[in-house]
Amino acid sequence: MLFSSYEFLFAFLPLTFVGYFLIARLGREPAVAWLVICSLFFYGWWNPTYLLLIAVSMLVNFRLGQILSKRADPDGFSGRLWLSAGVVFNLSLIAYFKYTDFAIESVNNLAGTHIPLKEIILPLAISFFTFQQIAYLVDARRGLAREYSFMHYALFVTFFPQLIAGPIVHHRDMLPQFMRDDAMKPHVSNISIGLTIFAIGLFKKTVLADGVAQFATPTFDAAARGETLSLFTAWGGALAYTLQLYFDFSGYSDMAIGGARIFGIKLPLNFHSPYRATSIIEFWRRWHMTLSQFLREYLYIALGGNRGTSLKRYRNLLLTMLLGGLWHGAGWTFVVWGGLHGVYLTANHLWRRFFPGVDGFNNKPLVRLVAWLVTFIAVVIGWVFFRAVDFDTAVSVLAGMAGVHGVALPNGIAMRLGDLWLPLQAIGIETYLGGGTDFVQTWLWIAMLLPVALLCPNTQQIMRTAEPALNMHQCQPSDELPMPSALSRLRWEPSARWALLIGFLATVAIFAMTRVSEFLYFQF
């Protein structure tokens, strides 16, 4: 059941909301049980078979968490043993369901064998709920999380707004909110704030992300078929996907944050205008922030972090990003994407170390612009590997972006340029038949959405007076492109004017749901 579906908007969400607060009159525990039942129904909507998987996963991790928090010596051998057992159990689930066929296919390609693939269907959200529970076990060992009620633990794992694609939440952040004295009563402020954030996210998904998606997919499909791409075609497809991915996933995160806020729950922030970042380091502080925090706290630091020599630090950074890439998908393109960002981050840290005075993080506009451009191009190159179905497809798109296959415009556009076409033809720009409408629409969408991603305030900035999420991002002005002062003053308030505006956005978004597609991060 998609957030952007009629079933969710007009049946599941209102029934779950009304039922929760009606049942809450009977007590906290019946209300919690209702949310767990509804969340499991939400998860089982796609494939009821995997309800058994998530139930077993929760039972095992709940029991291990009890052992770690109550019985095991957290700093002794038993604590390490039980934590290791929990990590191995969780990673084994991901390894089997997500990477078995990938491993078999890799062996077949390398060794020339013909081991049949198992064709395992990837359970929805397995990467998210598994990482979330690993974090719980680590926190339980550290004494930061303790849970005595399985029903409460099940709510922590399955709470439907964040179940499928995050944000990845911590037990210590979410469960105490349900235990507040006023948590079982509906509040008009929470409902209005939540619906506003949800509506903005829905508009991002159904209008912006799905609108530009139709111009990203054909480019990568053409490259996969072996067709050569000219400069503008390749860049058009890469930029269209860059924008689709951002508005798709940030739209989902907004809907998750807004959906939870309706129930009075604040989820952590997951995006903060990452394409405005002027360095790769800052980009990863803004993109999929809860995953970045997880990788830093539970993988990078576990590998040794920045302790020891600089060489070990950069090794740990590279390994973290390689594993982060593999987490996103069972394919070598994801490994390359993760490794590429590991190299980017290493280069960024080395630049700061050896050139601290000229690292692009001062307030000179030209320096900031150059730093942003380098960062943005590096991110777009990485997204090509992230999107491509295989390595050859990615190389083909990148070759087109580099101009290897020349520069060409549709013949219809060349004809309309009149005398302006002659100097363009003189410098080697060619023409091709057909595709003029798609070419124009692709670049119009890019021209419309890129300024939104770069210059407009994001959802959290618009809602800043309403404390929309946990862990609001703080940065220095030099870490991002400047926002126009007029737009920076845009601020939501509970007024008729804002109600009309949000109502209009929601209406447009609902009418656009006829062409809606699954969220991109559902495949991870």
Side-chain angles (χ1 to χ4, degrees):
M1 189 184 305
L2 298 171
F3 285 168
S4 50
S5 67
Y6 298 113
E7 298 90 345
F8 180 87
L9 290 177
F10 300 113
F12 177 84
L13 183 60
L15 288 176
T16 301
F17 173 81
V18 173
Y20 174 69
F21 287 110
L22 285 178
I23 295 173
R25 297 178 180 180
L26 303 177
R28 188 186 309 277
E29 298 310 311
V32 168
W34 169 258
L35 268 187
V36 171
I37 292 170
C38 291
S39 296
L40 289 174
F41 176 83
F42 174 80
Y43 183 78
W45 182 266
W46 283 275
N47 190 341
T49 303
Y50 286 119
L51 283 172
L52 178 62
L53 173 66
I54 194 172
V56 170
S57 174
M58 289 191 298
L59 284 167
V60 172
N61 281 286
F62 174 68
R63 182 56 182 153
L64 287 170
Q66 284 187 317
I67 294 172
L68 285 167
S69 61
K70 293 166 60 176
R71 298 182 181 179
D73 177 8
D75 297 319
F77 175 75
S78 62
R80 293 194 298 271
L81 179 64
W82 285 113
L83 178 60
S84 298
V87 172
V88 169
F89 168 75
N90 284 289
L91 293 183
S92 295
L93 289 181
I94 292 184
Y96 175 75
F97 286 101
K98 194 168 185 175
Y99 302 111
T100 297
D101 282 342
F102 171 61
I104 293 173
E105 186 176 16
S106 298
V107 170
N108 287 341
N109 292 335
L110 291 173
T113 55
H114 300 282
I115 304 171
L117 300 179
K118 294 186 178 294
E119 298 183 355
I120 300 169
I121 298 176
L122 181 65
L124 196 66
I126 187 171
S127 296
F128 285 92
F129 70 69
T130 300
F131 268 29
Q132 190 161 307
Q133 293 185 98
I134 290 176
Y136 171 76
L137 294 180
V138 175
D139 288 349
R141 185 193 171 199
R142 294 173 176 172
L144 300 175
R146 178 175 295 183
E147 186 55 73
Y148 300 101
S149 166
F150 177 72
M151 192 61 67
H152 290 182
Y153 180 80
L155 178 60
F156 154 66
V157 176
T158 66
F159 185 45
F160 73 89
Q162 51 82 41
L163 171 60
I164 305 301
I168 300 172
V169 299
H170 290 273
H171 181 277
R172 63 181 183 268
D173 291 333
M174 194 177 79
L175 257 295
Q177 296 186 63
F178 282 102
M179 300 301 114
R180 296 193 312 260
D181 292 337
D182 62 344
M184 297 293 114
K185 297 179 181 179
H187 295 274
V188 174
S189 61
N190 284 330
I191 296 171
S192 61
I193 293 167
L195 289 177
T196 299
I197 297 173
F198 190 96
I200 293 173
L202 184 65
F203 183 85
K204 284 183 181 180
K205 167 60 180 171
T206 63
V207 177
L208 304 186
D210 289 342
V212 76
Q214 59 189 313
F215 304 107
T217 301
T219 299
F220 285 89
D221 288 347
R225 293 192 299 267
E227 299 179 19
T228 58
L229 305 177
S230 62
L231 182 77
F232 290 124
T233 301
W235 271 103
L239 288 173
Y241 180 71
T242 296
L243 293 165
Q244 177 200 358
L245 183 61
Y246 170 66
F247 285 109
D248 186 281
F249 197 21
S250 68
Y252 176 91
S253 296
D254 282 351
M255 283 186 270
I257 291 170
R261 186 60 177 267
I262 294 170
F263 293 85
I265 305 301
K266 291 183 184 179
L267 296 182
L269 187 63
N270 224 11
F271 284 91
H272 188 76
S273 300
Y275 293 156
R276 290 212 298 257
T278 56
S279 72
I280 287 293
I281 293 173
E282 182 63 20
F283 171 81
W284 277 106
R285 290 172 180 163
R286 295 162 171 259
W287 177 274
H288 203 342
M289 295 159 67
T290 56
L291 176 63
S292 299
Q293 182 183 17
F294 178 92
L295 293 175
R296 181 174 60 252
E297 290 186 8
Y298 301 104
L299 185 55
Y300 175 69
I301 293 177
L303 289 170
N306 56 8
R307 300 187 300 273
T309 64
S310 296
L311 184 61
K312 290 182 178 179
R313 176 192 182 186
Y314 300 134
R315 177 206 63 187
N316 296 337
L317 186 59
L318 185 59
L319 284 173
T320 298
M321 296 310 297
L322 282 169
L323 293 172
L326 190 60
W327 175 87
H328 279 86
W332 289 109
T333 52
F334 291 106
V335 176
V336 172
W337 172 77
L340 196 59
H341 273 275
V343 173
Y344 290 163
L345 286 166
T346 300
N348 201 168
H349 282 289
L350 286 171
W351 179 268
R352 288 186 172 189
R353 178 181 178 184
F354 290 108
F355 303 100
V358 288
D359 60 359
F361 291 90
N362 53 49
N363 283 316
K364 295 181 179 179
L366 181 59
V367 175
R368 290 170 66 181
L369 182 61
V370 171
W372 166 80
L373 184 61
V374 171
T375 301
F376 185 72
I377 291 174
V379 168
V380 174
I381 290 172
W383 287 142
V384 171
F385 287 100
F386 195 84
R387 172 60 178 82
V389 294
D390 53 39
F391 192 79
D392 290 341
T393 301
V395 171
S396 177
V397 175
L398 290 173
M401 292 167 64
V404 172
H405 303 303
V407 183
L409 293 173
N411 189 58
I413 294 177
M415 292 178 61
R416 285 173 172 77
L417 290 175
D419 293 339
L420 294 176
W421 171 245
L422 295 177
L424 295 177
Q425 188 178 36
I427 61 175
I429 297 179
E430 302 175 346
T431 63
Y432 57 89
L433 293 175
T437 301
D438 287 342
F439 182 92
V440 171
Q441 290 182 348
T442 298
W443 285 98
L444 281 176
W445 272 96
I446 292 170
M448 178 180 67
L449 295 188
L450 196 57
V452 174
L454 297 179
L455 302 176
C456 292
N458 55 49
T459 307
Q460 290 71 36
Q461 290 172 324
I462 293 172
M463 304 295 297
R464 59 189 178 275
T465 58
E467 299 181 2
L470 299 176
N471 307 325
M472 297 295 287
H473 182 73
Q474 302 293 329
C475 67
Q476 298 296 323
S478 56
D479 287 335
E480 64 177 3
L481 284 179
M483 188 191 309
S485 57
L487 292 176
S488 67
R489 292 193 293 270
L490 187 64
R491 182 179 63 186
W492 176 86
E493 57 186 18
S495 64
R497 181 183 61 178
W498 272 100
L500 288 173
L501 175 60
I502 297 302
F504 172 76
L505 292 180
T507 302
V508 173
I510 290 171
F511 277 114
M513 281 165 45
T514 54
R515 64 181 179 187
V516 73
S517 60
E518 276 198 353
F519 293 92
L520 294 176
Y521 260 71
F522 276 21
Q523 62 185 296
F524 308 130

